[in-house]
Amino acid sequence: MSEAFRGQDSAVAVIGVSCRLPRAAGPAAFWALLRDGLDAISSTPADRWGVAAFDPGSPALGAGHGGFLDGVDHFDAGFFGISPREAAAVDPQQRLTLELGWEALEDAGVVPERVRGTSVGVFIGANKDDYATLSRRYGVEAITEHSTTGLQRGMIANRVSYAFGLTGPSITVDTAQSSSLVAVHLACESLRRGECASALVGGVLLNLSAEAAVELSRFGALSPDGRCFTFDERANGFVRGEGGAVLVLKPLRQALADGDHVYCVIRGSAVNHDGPSEGLTVPSACAQEEVIRFAHERAGVQAADIQYVELHGTGTRVGDPIEAAALGAAVGRPRRAHGPLRVGSVKTNIGHLECAAGIAGLLKVILAIHHRQIPASLNFRQASPEVRLEEQNLQVQTQTAGWPDPGRPLVAGVSSFGMGGANCHVVVSEVTDGEAGQSTTLDAPAGPTPWALPLSAKTARALGEQAMRLRAFVTEQPEIPIRDVAWTMATARSVFAHRAVVVAGDVDGFLAGLQDVAGLQDPAGLRDVDVSSVVVRGV
């Protein structure tokens, strides 16, 4: 390892994560999809293109395939204080980002009400406005007093800041396909300058209109096979994906001092532009190599330290060889004595999320570090002759496996390149043993102890549904101590009008109590539950 990561004072911790991705309604489901090497690509839903007179199965859409979310029209407007009339005019990308922001804060153990009025920043990568396209099909009669705020992309970040009462920078970033990773870079820079104390950062894309897909098809970007064949001889374009992810970032020293759970550390990042390449949308190998080297310099790492790189990896005939050459020059060949550099692309699992692709790739790496396994990159059979993997000392990760050198700090890079030439690279690592020693821990009482597990929700039905979800969580993840679940629910969750408390001394008692609360989800059965209702089991 190079000098123990130069510039530790500038390191940024990832302390919360959330996502909604194809066939993955949250980080745990996303990790399961990655770990098991699953393909989330499907045929385009028959009703996805709305009123457009367009056949979703047309070859113009790349065989009508993509990575899609279910229920993109579902939204609990009342939870966020938005009227049904206004919600109908609000881009679903705004709605999804609100939900992801709330979930990321909860995952970080941050009660949203406690950060109101504080300098938390919001940085969201977004560059599509399909919902505005759909709305305009209905003419001027469809325009309401909420259309201006509901349809502007800049409002995606602003809506989160307003809803949560956050006073830090609030920026929607558009650098085409590199938007969300550039948002991460900007968020880290803002934290280092002290503009914000913590930050919500992410990206979002929903594919709602046929027009956007037709544009990409006629540009020649989409694979007629409906798959991303990253670095493979079959590479012929990409398949579209959709969804979003949001992270909670905090200066590492502060996160350790506060006793936060740290998923991983962002050591450094860099951005640049291709400059005068062979064409507006033709990547520059020199610029990509330069942005990677600059990110390494800022992170205090050397090529030999990097064990894995999450590629931009779209699976295009022009882009793949250029990216391989740049990565080989910056990392692969300089580390030849340490074996080939492992590489892969999440686009082979969920499709290309375009402006949200960078955050999806970063989240994959965060989870890979957290679980100490590198997931397989799919659809790789034989390398394209133009990619020259052996010459560049690169190796596609084709099986889910442990890190190449787990005895050393796990270090990875993430690349994201915009079609107009805006490049970004981020260096991520695990928390080192020396850093972990600076964190604080909570000592649990010795011996059997009853624990109180509180639940609350804005509606009676939501209270019962929360009990069901929590029961499933406790059942599916028995390795998590019940005391930790109870502590989190008591100290890191918002308190709403409808409440219940389960008190028990063991897991079976909690499961029984949660089942009782879940059984009351009929609104009639919870009509009078507007103060604490105690279910006692196993005390």
Side-chain angles (χ1 to χ4, degrees), residues 192-276:
R192 294 181 181 114
R193 290 194 299 268
E195 291 177 340
C196 53
S198 60
L200 290 166
V201 60
V204 64
L205 173 75
L206 292 177
N207 298 322
L208 304 178
S209 75
E211 288 89 337
V214 172
E215 286 177 5
L216 286 170
S217 176
R218 293 182 179 172
F219 179 70
L222 299 185
S223 165
D225 299 305
R227 293 295 185 277
C228 291
F229 297 104
T230 302
F231 279 14
D232 191 82
E233 63 181 357
R234 295 167 292 170
N236 58 2
F238 63 80
V239 62
R240 302 186 79 200
E242 68 177 4
V246 170
L247 314 178
V248 181
L249 306 185
K250 198 174 190 179
L252 177 60
R253 288 194 181 277
Q254 190 61 52
L256 295 173
D258 292 344
D260 293 320
H261 171 261
V262 177
Y263 282 94
C264 69
V265 182
I266 298 174
R267 298 291 176 180
S269 58
V271 297
N272 72 357
H273 188 268
D274 287 342

Side-chain angles (χ1 to χ4, degrees), residues 33 37 74 98 108 157 187 207 216 228 242 258 263 267 314 325 333 367 396 432 435 464 472 476 490 499 518:
L33 182 144
H74 296 176
L98 282 173
N207 298 322
L216 286 170
C228 291
E242 68 177 4
D258 292 344
Y263 282 94
R267 298 291 176 180
T314 54
R333 299 202 302 272
L367 295 175
V396 175
T432 66
E435 292 166 337
E476 294 166 4
R499 310 173 196 174

